[in-house]
Amino acid sequence: MSKPTGTDDLYVLHQDDFEPQRPEWSHKQFRRMVWRTRWKFFLNAGGTLLVVVILYHVYVSALHIYFDQSKVRNEFMRSIVSVVEMNGDGLRVDKSNRGPFEVTPFLTQKANLKVYRQVGSWEVITGEVQAELSITGKFSYKITKTGAYLNGNDTGPFYLPYDLVDGKPEQEGSEQNSSLKRLRQIDDGHVAEMSMSLKNLKSPEQLMQILSKYDVGVTAMPIYSGELQEKNLSYSRAGMFDYNTPHLSLKPLYEMEEDGSRWFIYFPTEPEDQRQAQSEGSMKEQVEFMMSDLEWMSGNLNYSGQEFDQRRLAYLKKNGVQVYGAVVTGPVRELQKIAQNPEFHHVHLNRVEIWNWD
């Protein structure tokens, strides 16, 4: 047997050298594979969405548990009451906490609360306040009027005393005469709300001493805080010497505490004894709380007019609290007597209701 004389190229076949024969898929099998893939995608997406929804509800529930604590909720409530009532003439916010409160995922607190005016012994709803307080302390609100009438629900403006505006008009305006005429035409079975301005600045105690002679309740007093000395504060002029400006209002005592609240419908009148005086409070207590509330809201909240209120606070600390008018309510005959008092001018009759006075 002879040996090979040359080197032959040896070629070994491997399995990879054979092209496998791929099975031919039917149209039905292809569609089944596509739908199987789609269902897996939908199930994965649905599971992810369900987890997100559960986490969101846990997050929102935790927020409400925290913000529903009395301390947090009361502070928001205090913000609404302080800013709205101190910048309104006799306007009150419903303090029963029956309105809806909401917390957004971005930690903004929202509330819709009724606002009302005290007319006689009735709390007459005149609108709703929508308030928001962001996590940064930005406070904003809007009042929507929902009164029973198209007009007649707004209080009249307060005009500064003549000695602050360098002059005295020769005769009263038509507003005073119109309100007096309306009062004379209303029969005795009605109560009403009326606003009027003082001809001279007085302390709250001096004004209450004048009004204590009448069977009325006092719900607010405009405070003079050096407004005409502030160039940036707006004002309007009704006549030759009549100016009305944005102002703060002294209101009956209201305190928000963790274990509850206390507030008064009217400013306290002359008490019958010292025990009653301690239970009803005093004008000094009303003024002290107003100053502390003004300091709190102008220092802790960011709202429209905050800068002006800080200047007003500085003026009041330096010069004391003086008022130049009042919002009163009671029987129409008593209001008619007050309108004829020479201490007052610019009397404006507001809301009128049937008799509800004790």
Side-chain angles (χ1 to χ4, degrees):
M1 182 174 181
S2 62
K3 296 182 179 178
T5 58
T7 58
D8 296 333
D9 293 333
L10 299 178
Y11 185 80
V12 180
L13 295 176
H14 298 280
Q15 186 176 359
D16 293 340
D17 293 330
F18 296 95
E19 183 178 353
Q21 185 177 2
R22 297 180 181 178
E24 295 183 1
W25 284 34
S26 66
H27 181 68
K28 184 177 181 180
Q29 290 176 322
F30 180 76
R31 289 182 58 188
R32 186 181 302 169
M33 183 196 69
V34 171
W35 278 109
R36 186 180 301 149
T37 304
R38 288 178 179 176
W39 275 114
K40 287 182 180 180
F41 173 79
F42 288 141
L43 288 175
N44 291 336
T48 303
L49 181 61
L50 180 61
V51 172
V52 171
V53 171
I54 293 174
L55 291 177
Y56 173 79
H57 281 285
V58 171
Y59 172 69
V60 172
S61 299
L63 286 181
H64 280 86
I65 291 174
Y66 172 74
F67 282 98
D68 281 341
Q69 297 181 32
S70 60
K71 182 178 180 180
V72 179
R73 178 57 53 80
N74 286 354
E75 187 166 302
F76 181 36
M77 187 71 181
R78 181 182 179 183
S79 303
I80 300 172
V81 173
S82 298
V83 178
V84 174
E85 292 189 355
M86 199 172 292
N87 288 277
D89 300 323
L91 191 68
R92 305 285 179 82
V93 177
D94 180 16
K95 304 173 182 67
S96 62
N97 281 344
R98 291 175 298 196
F101 284 81
E102 177 189 353
V103 181
T104 70
F106 299 103
L107 306 181
T108 296
Q109 299 181 73
K110 296 183 178 182
N112 294 335
L113 299 172
K114 299 295 183 183
V115 292
Y116 64 91
R117 309 194 71 84
Q118 196 73 33
V119 184
S121 300
W122 285 353
E123 297 172 345
V124 181
I125 295 176
T126 58
E128 185 178 75
V129 56
Q130 297 91 32
E132 293 186 6
L133 178 62
S134 70
I135 191 63
T136 61
K138 174 68 176 177
F139 178 83
S140 61
Y141 71 95
K142 176 184 177 183
I143 296 178
T144 303
K145 297 179 182 179
T146 57
Y149 311 107
L150 291 177
N151 51 27
N153 286 341
D154 296 330
T155 56
F158 291 102
Y159 294 97
L160 292 172
Y162 298 139
D163 57 353
L164 294 177
V165 295
D166 301 324
K168 182 177 179 179
E170 297 180 357
Q171 59 184 5
E172 295 290 352
S174 59
E175 179 186 38
Q176 173 104 351
N177 297 329
S178 175
S179 294
L180 285 171
K181 182 178 179 181
R182 288 178 61 196
L183 279 170
R184 286 194 294 266
Q185 293 174 344
I186 301 173
D187 62 54
D188 294 348
H190 290 80
V191 297
E193 182 193 51
M194 185 175 74
S195 57
M196 66 272 188
S197 302
L198 279 166
K199 292 182 178 179
N200 298 286
L201 288 176
K202 294 187 181 298
S203 68
E205 292 82 3
Q206 290 174 328
L207 178 54
M208 286 303 301
Q209 187 176 2
I210 295 173
L211 295 174
S212 64
K213 304 172 185 176
Y214 307 97
D215 182 22
V216 295
V218 185
T219 62
M221 301 178 185
I223 301 171
Y224 178 67
S225 309
E227 277 79 9
L228 285 183
Q229 300 175 12
E230 294 286 351
K231 295 181 179 179
N232 294 329
L233 281 177
S234 63
Y235 63 87
S236 61
R237 189 170 181 173
M240 184 174 294
F241 302 105
D242 296 331
Y243 290 82
N244 74 82
T245 69
H247 60 82
L248 299 174
S249 289
L250 180 62
K251 57 182 179 177
L253 180 65
Y254 167 74
E255 288 184 311
M256 175 68 75
E257 301 170 353
E258 290 189 21
D259 55 350
S261 307
R262 69 185 184 108
W263 63 86
F264 297 94
I265 298 176
Y266 305 119
F267 287 107
T269 56
E270 288 296 324
E272 296 178 359
D273 52 45
Q274 187 62 27
R275 183 178 178 182
Q276 185 178 357
Q278 293 176 354
S279 64
E280 291 187 354
S282 64
M283 288 306 299
K284 181 180 179 181
E285 186 181 11
Q286 314 279 326
V287 172
E288 288 177 349
F289 180 78
M290 184 277 298
M291 292 292 290
S292 66
D293 207 31
L294 177 60
E295 186 169 9
W296 176 83
M297 74 182 206
S298 62
N300 292 277
L301 296 175
N302 179 13
Y303 59 95
S304 176
Q306 177 193 15
E307 183 181 350
F308 293 147
D309 285 349
Q310 290 173 343
R311 297 184 205 172
R312 290 172 173 135
L313 178 63
Y315 178 91
L316 294 174
K317 285 183 175 180
K318 180 179 179 180
N319 299 279
V321 176
Q322 291 183 297
V323 297
Y324 59 97
V327 178
V328 299
T329 184
V332 292
R333 295 287 80 84
E334 294 296 308
L335 300 182
Q336 188 176 355
K337 295 176 185 177
I338 297 176
Q340 295 170 346
N341 190 314
E343 294 275 4
F344 301 104
H345 67 142
H346 288 296
V347 174
H348 184 90
L349 185 62
N350 305 321
R351 187 84 178 233
V352 179
E353 297 289 341
I354 61 173
W355 183 269
N356 60 72
W357 191 253
D358 296 328

